[in-house]
Amino acid sequence: SQHSSSGIERQSHFLCCSFVSRLRLHEGKVIKDRRHHLRTYPNCFVAKELIDWLIEHKEASDRDTAIKIMQKLLDQSIVHHVCDEHREFKDMKLLYRFRKDDGTFPLDSEAKVFMRGQRLYEKLMNTENNLIQTREEEGMAFERALVASEFIDWLLQEAEMPTREEAEQLGRRLLEHGIIQHVTNKHHFVDGPLLYQFRMNFRRRRRLIELLHERGRGIPESHDSPFCLRKQQSDGGNTSFLSVSPTKEIKVAVGVRRSPPVLCNPKSVVKRQVSPEELLTPGGPFIKKTFTIVGDAVGWGFVVRGSKPCHIQAVDPGGPAAAVGMKVCQFVVSVNGLNVLCHDYRTVSNLILTGPRTIVMEVMEEAAV
């Protein structure tokens, strides 16, 4: 499926893996109140014991893999050291805790909508109703589909939403965040006879090892090679552009359903590299802009390149980034609230690829004279 590697799917891997495993850890008494240096730390686990548990339950093949899995959860702010003194997950008798267990999990709007969609899916599946079934639209049959108007009726009946208008708005949010979609992807969510499907099976238990396969695939090691924030397609046909080889003068970057193709020059589009301090100088020549970019089935449609700060190297004229006004030569200041002025393009690319489908980016551009 084109959507299998979407931002929301990646987020579901992190959320489902971490929270399901968290419940299992509670049940196994790996997570419990622990006392250390005359202080009691509630709902925490010992790193060394957790690694033993991962191997015993075949979530990891060896200790190094288990450490990498937990480091991924640490990097994603899903777990943390109880005193926030260690940024690396160590195979030692150190105490860590799931942020969900101490109320510090960063529930941004994307995560909230995702968890709302997951809860509604579970409720639909656990309640006796005929909402989700094989249905027809435009002479074609679609499995596990529901009618928009019937879904809204159900939301009102279950007191999930107070009014029909607000229920429709919820449906639109679920679609915009990639949780549901129109069966042929032709329509937004509207209160009527159109058919929609959930884009993922929330009930599939995702193994923790899957976290390690969600790294930014195809991120080139060369500092001079740009990276196009695209998702790889599983078929062997018209694949998305991933990178430009620094040894070639020009390479065509073809995005699925994109026309015309985008020409990306390996040479940097930035004439002069600037420092973070220069960008942020009060009264300086640079102005800040904020973009909210919703990734489509192909990706977000731009290339980042450079280091401290990185910049926008190329923008797909038919992509989501171009639609909101992103342009080449803009310097990247922050991604989803995290300042990235002192990071390189690989870090910024990985941050976007492992984050939500909707990204909020702050950039700086030189003011027009």
Side-chain angles (χ1 to χ4, degrees), residues 222 224-226 241 243-251 264-266:
S222 167
D224 293 326
S225 179
F241 169 72
S243 65
V244 168
S245 169
T247 60
K248 296 183 180 179
E249 193 63 26
I250 282 184
K251 186 171 182 177
C264 293
N265 194 326

Side-chain angles (χ1 to χ4, degrees), residues 81-177:
H81 180 257
V82 290
C83 297
D84 290 316
E85 292 178 354
H86 299 277
R87 302 303 291 265
E88 294 182 3
F89 193 87
K90 300 180 180 180
D91 187 1
M92 299 171 62
K93 290 185 177 180
L94 294 174
L95 298 181
Y96 292 83
R97 185 188 289 130
F98 278 82
R99 289 190 179 276
K100 186 71 174 175
D101 283 328
D102 61 12
T104 61
F105 181 73
L107 276 178
D108 58 17
S109 59
E110 180 86 6
K112 288 178 182 176
V113 174
F114 171 83
M115 295 177 76
R116 181 75 181 275
Q118 183 179 28
R119 186 175 63 79
L120 290 174
Y121 178 86
E122 288 291 348
K123 193 172 181 179
L124 276 167
M125 299 305 291
N126 290 329
T127 307
E128 286 189 14
N129 60 69
N130 296 315
L131 287 178
I132 298 179
Q133 58 178 280
T134 300
R135 299 175 183 271
E136 286 192 6
E137 183 173 302
E138 296 181 0
M140 295 179 62
F142 299 95
E143 295 181 356
R144 303 174 64 81
L146 54 80
V147 179
S149 58
E150 292 181 7
F151 180 48
I152 289 178
D153 292 340
W154 179 83
L155 289 172
L156 297 175
Q157 176 186 327
E158 296 293 320
E160 289 288 344
M161 299 301 291
T163 67
R164 199 164 194 89
E165 182 181 359
E166 289 175 278
E168 183 179 33
Q169 290 173 357
L170 172 61
R172 296 179 75 83
R173 286 200 302 275
L174 293 175
L175 186 142
E176 288 164 0
H177 286 77

Side-chain angles (χ1 to χ4, degrees), residues 53-65:
W53 184 92
L54 289 172
I55 295 173
E56 180 185 345
H57 289 77
K58 304 189 185 309
E59 292 284 1
S61 57
D62 51 57
R63 301 193 83 79
D64 285 343
T65 302

Side-chain angles (χ1 to χ4, degrees), residues 273-292:
Q273 183 65 23
V274 302
S275 67
E277 294 74 23
E278 186 178 353
L279 281 178
L280 300 177
T281 300
F286 294 93
I287 59 174
K288 183 179 290 186
K289 290 188 175 182
T290 302
F291 301 123
T292 300

Side-chain angles (χ1 to χ4, degrees), residues 40 44 76 93 95 118 133-134 136 160 162 167 185 192 209 245 249 255 257 268-269 295 299 315 345 352:
T40 298
C44 59
Q76 294 296 320
K93 290 185 177 180
L95 298 181
Q118 183 179 28
Q133 58 178 280
T134 300
E136 286 192 6
E160 289 288 344
N185 218 17
I209 194 69
S245 169
E249 193 63 26
R257 297 183 290 103
S268 175
V269 295
V315 178
Y345 77 94
I352 294 171

